[in-house]
Amino acid sequence: MSRDLTILVADDDRTTTAILKNTLEKQSLTPVVANDGIQALKVLEETPVDLVIADYQMPGLDGFELLQAMKDRGLDIPFVMVTAHGSVDMTMNAMRLGAIEYLVKPVDPLDIVVLVEKILNINRMKSRLSRLQKEVEKKYHFNNIVGQSPQMQILFESIHKASRSTANVLITGESGTGKELAAKAVHYNGPLKEGPFVAVNCSAFSSGTLESELFGHVKGAFTDAHRDHMGRFELADKGTLFLDEVGDIPADIQVKLLRVLQDKTFERVGAQEPIHSDFRLVAATNRDLKDLVRKGKFREDLFYRLNVIGMTTPALREHPEDIPLLISHFLKRYGQVGGRSIKTLSMHAMKIMQEYRWPGNVRQLENAIESAAAMCDGSMIRTADLPLEITTPQSEDPLREDAYRGTLPEVVERIEKHMILRALEQNQWVKAHAARTLGVSERVVSYKMANYGLTKDKAKPTKS
């Protein structure tokens, strides 16, 4: 066990304090004894303490009041409540305030050793996460992209090299992996950082609307064109245009986009006057553009024009060692809830988070932390605070050998259901996007969902 750690023992029961003091000293720890809550608070104000073990019932200030006083003074120290059987309910209230564990009288010395080691391990983890986070922010941090795994180091190096020029960039990766963050990092670390960053999601518009969004239009160009409209090409002048989901651009717009990229000149819809815009293009997609080129659904010349510099944002399941860093990063954003400061997860909750497959990648992890922080009653997120989709056991892999038992229709149905469910999860249950992933129509996906009874609230996470 770690040495040179000071533990405050606050209890008016001399038998309990003697047991605690003796046990801690045998573990080479330094106990400081206080006989009531007021004396304990004075010790905390004068002495650096690593852990507090306090009885619920004490004169002056009881354990609950001592914990509240610590919180009021900003003393963020691990707190363990000692309680008699009759006051367990009150102890649970203290845990909601921030106590991380409790001991029941009569105190068992072995329980003390196990509990203290557990808490010290949590402190070591928090310290390590803090140290690693500082290293990441210093060496591997681009505009809120966090990670120090080999995969993320490759991405950071690609961003660094891409930001030195104004060449076109193509970012590929699954939904939720941070493609737009990577695009912003390229822009804000590059020579055009003083210019605008203009983003457009190509899958969010129909063909005609997308053309108007990109090129702009003049008043009267079509029925609803009541005024002149400046397009994204024009708005991105002297800056960066980010085209998200570029693989969804219709064939007729692909031709026009290629022409703009060749000379940076275009006309608004309904106009003939050429407009020049000196922008850098960064495109992103979660689709396999090379496969779309082979199928004739994406122009080969446009692909090569976009892919001057290529980079990939890795799926979270490919670098699970970054999960603790990402959790620490998101807790800084969402951990201040209702006057509480949530800074860490229990060891079991952290284990679950690291073993989960994260079909929605970093975006899903961020949402999980935001949800858990809102559900958390204390200062530490526990397993019960995590979303059910994270804690529910993963469904069995239908592609294992015994999945092929049964008739051909039964096997086909089993695998088809799994593929549809996985595509829906990877695309945040957007049927149109899942349909593109599966290579079928949205109508087919809707029919299959109804046939298999697939709904977001009933689905269990699948292995990817």
Side-chain angles (χ1 to χ4, degrees), residues 32 41 52-53 59 72 78-79 96 98 121 125 154 180 182 195 206 218 257 269 329 333 348 366 406 411 419:
V32 177
L41 189 58
V52 177
I53 303 177
D72 293 342
F79 191 101
R96 294 188 183 96
N121 280 335
M125 182 181 293
I154 292 172
E180 184 166 354
S206 63
V218 296
L257 174 60
V269 177
H329 174 72
R333 182 178 301 174
H348 186 246
E366 179 178 4
V411 173
M419 288 184 64

Side-chain angles (χ1 to χ4, degrees), residues 7-12 17 20 32-47 49 51-82 90-91 93-95 97-100:
I7 299 179
L8 171 61
V9 177
D11 198 323
D12 61 331
T17 55
L20 289 169
V32 177
V33 176
N35 296 317
D36 59 57
I38 295 177
Q39 184 182 356
L41 189 58
K42 184 177 181 181
V43 171
L44 289 168
E45 292 174 342
E46 298 176 351
T47 307
V49 171
L51 172 65
V52 177
I53 303 177
D55 187 23
Y56 172 69
Q57 293 183 337
M58 293 186 295
L61 294 174
D62 62 26
F64 189 88
E65 292 169 334
L66 174 61
L67 178 57
Q68 183 64 63
M70 289 172 58
K71 295 299 178 183
D72 293 342
R73 288 162 172 76
L75 297 174
D76 186 18
I77 302 171
F79 191 101
V80 176
M81 189 75 80
V82 180
M90 294 302 296
T91 304
N93 289 333
M95 292 184 72
L97 183 62
I100 61 176

Side-chain angles (χ1 to χ4, degrees), residues 141-156:
H141 195 286
F142 285 90
N143 299 86
N144 292 319
I145 309 175
V146 175
Q148 66 167 19
S149 62
Q151 295 88 336
M152 293 302 293
Q153 291 184 39
I154 292 172
L155 174 62
F156 293 143

Side-chain angles (χ1 to χ4, degrees), residues 16 19-20 23 103-115:
T16 301
I19 294 174
L20 289 169
T23 302
L103 291 169
V104 178
K105 291 183 178 181
V107 176
D108 186 330
L110 181 58
D111 289 342
I112 299 171
V113 174
V114 172
L115 178 59

Side-chain angles (χ1 to χ4, degrees), residues 71 121 214 303 322 341 358-359 378 403 426 443:
K71 295 299 178 183
N121 280 335
L214 293 176
F303 170 74
D322 286 326
S341 179
W358 300 108
Q426 290 176 342
R443 184 177 180 181

Side-chain angles (χ1 to χ4, degrees), residues 383-455:
T383 304
D385 302 320
L386 299 176
L388 287 177
E389 65 181 16
I390 310 299
T391 57
T392 302
Q394 301 224 336
S395 61
E396 295 181 343
D397 186 353
L399 301 183
R400 67 191 191 285
E401 185 175 350
D402 62 358
Y404 295 95
R405 295 175 181 172
T407 65
L408 179 60
E410 289 173 342
V411 173
V412 170
E413 178 179 307
R414 190 179 302 129
I415 295 176
E416 181 181 64
K417 180 179 179 180
H418 174 81
M419 288 184 64
I420 294 171
L421 178 58
R422 183 171 63 180
L424 287 165
E425 290 176 341
Q426 290 176 342
N427 291 279
Q428 289 73 56
W429 288 80
V430 179
K431 287 187 285 186
H433 294 177
R436 281 192 291 269
T437 300
L438 294 166
V440 298
S441 69
E442 184 177 350
R443 184 177 180 181
V444 169
V445 171
S446 297
Y447 170 78
K448 296 291 185 181
M449 288 176 65
N451 187 47
Y452 292 132
L454 296 177
T455 58

Side-chain angles (χ1 to χ4, degrees), residues 24-25 52 85 92 94 96 112-113 120 146 199 238 241 246 252 274 292 295 304 307 349 355 360 383 385 425 434 436:
L24 295 172
E25 287 176 341
V52 177
H85 291 287
M92 296 309 295
R96 294 188 183 96
I112 299 171
V113 174
L120 295 179
V146 175
K238 301 297 189 297
L241 175 63
V246 71
D252 58 328
L292 293 179
K295 294 178 179 177
Y304 288 115
N307 194 33
E355 292 178 349
T383 304
D385 302 320
E425 290 176 341
R436 281 192 291 269

Side-chain angles (χ1 to χ4, degrees), residues 15-311:
T15 301
T16 301
T17 55
I19 294 174
L20 289 169
K21 185 174 183 293
N22 183 55
T23 302
L24 295 172
E25 287 176 341
K26 285 182 178 180
Q27 300 299 321
S28 301
L29 300 168
T30 304
V32 177
V33 176
N35 296 317
D36 59 57
I38 295 177
Q39 184 182 356
L41 189 58
K42 184 177 181 181
V43 171
L44 289 168
E45 292 174 342
E46 298 176 351
T47 307
V49 171
D50 300 289
L51 172 65
V52 177
I53 303 177
D55 187 23
Y56 172 69
Q57 293 183 337
M58 293 186 295
L61 294 174
D62 62 26
F64 189 88
E65 292 169 334
L66 174 61
L67 178 57
Q68 183 64 63
M70 289 172 58
K71 295 299 178 183
D72 293 342
R73 288 162 172 76
L75 297 174
D76 186 18
I77 302 171
F79 191 101
V80 176
M81 189 75 80
V82 180
T83 177
H85 291 287
S87 56
V88 171
D89 289 341
M90 294 302 296
T91 304
M92 296 309 295
N93 289 333
M95 292 184 72
R96 294 188 183 96
L97 183 62
I100 61 176
E101 269 297 353
Y102 68 92
L103 291 169
V104 178
K105 291 183 178 181
V107 176
D108 186 330
L110 181 58
D111 289 342
I112 299 171
V113 174
V114 172
L115 178 59
V116 171
E117 180 64 27
K118 174 184 175 182
I119 293 170
L120 295 179
N121 280 335
I122 292 172
N123 286 345
R124 293 188 197 105
M125 182 181 293
K126 290 170 65 176
S127 177
R128 180 172 179 269
L129 287 177
S130 178
R131 184 178 71 255
L132 291 176
Q133 182 67 25
K134 290 178 181 177
E135 292 177 3
V136 167
E137 290 175 352
K138 182 178 179 181
K139 297 179 64 177
Y140 305 118
H141 195 286
F142 285 90
N143 299 86
N144 292 319
I145 309 175
V146 175
Q148 66 167 19
S149 62
Q151 295 88 336
M152 293 302 293
Q153 291 184 39
I154 292 172
L155 174 62
F156 293 143
E157 183 64 21
S158 297
I159 292 173
H160 173 69
K161 290 180 178 178
S163 65
R164 296 183 301 193
S165 73
T166 58
N168 294 339
V169 178
L170 178 62
I171 306 171
T172 58
E174 294 180 8
S175 295
T177 53
K179 295 188 291 295
E180 184 166 354
L181 286 178
K184 288 181 177 179
V186 169
H187 170 72
Y188 289 110
N189 289 279
L192 300 177
K193 62 183 178 182
E194 300 301 326
F197 178 87
V198 179
V200 57
N201 189 323
C202 300
S203 66
F205 302 98
S206 63
S207 178
T209 306
L210 180 61
E211 181 178 8
S212 176
E213 284 296 318
L214 293 176
F215 293 83
H217 62 254
V218 296
K219 181 179 179 180
F222 46 86
T223 304
D224 295 327
H226 302 301
R227 57 182 177 80
D228 288 355
H229 173 70
M230 185 181 293
R232 306 298 178 96
F233 291 143
E234 199 170 348
L235 291 170
D237 186 32
K238 301 297 189 297
T240 298
L241 175 63
F242 174 58
L243 295 183
D244 198 9
E245 305 299 349
V246 71
D248 295 334
I249 293 181
D252 58 328
I253 305 298
Q254 291 180 30
V255 177
K256 297 176 181 179
L257 174 60
L258 180 63
R259 189 176 303 123
V260 174
L261 295 181
Q262 288 172 344
D263 56 21
K264 300 295 177 67
T265 301
F266 60 94
E267 298 86 32
R268 291 181 179 178
V269 177
Q272 296 181 340
E273 180 182 355
I275 299 173
H276 181 79
S277 180
D278 186 17
F279 62 87
R280 177 189 200 166
L281 184 73
V282 178
T285 181
N286 62 3
R287 307 183 70 185
D288 186 346
L289 290 190
K290 290 183 179 179
D291 184 57
L292 293 179
V293 169
R294 286 192 294 269
K295 294 178 179 177
K297 296 182 179 180
F298 199 87
R299 293 182 62 94
E300 184 175 23
D301 47 4
L302 177 58
F303 170 74
Y304 288 115
R305 179 71 67 173
L306 296 175
N307 194 33
V308 178
I309 299 175
M311 65 180 70

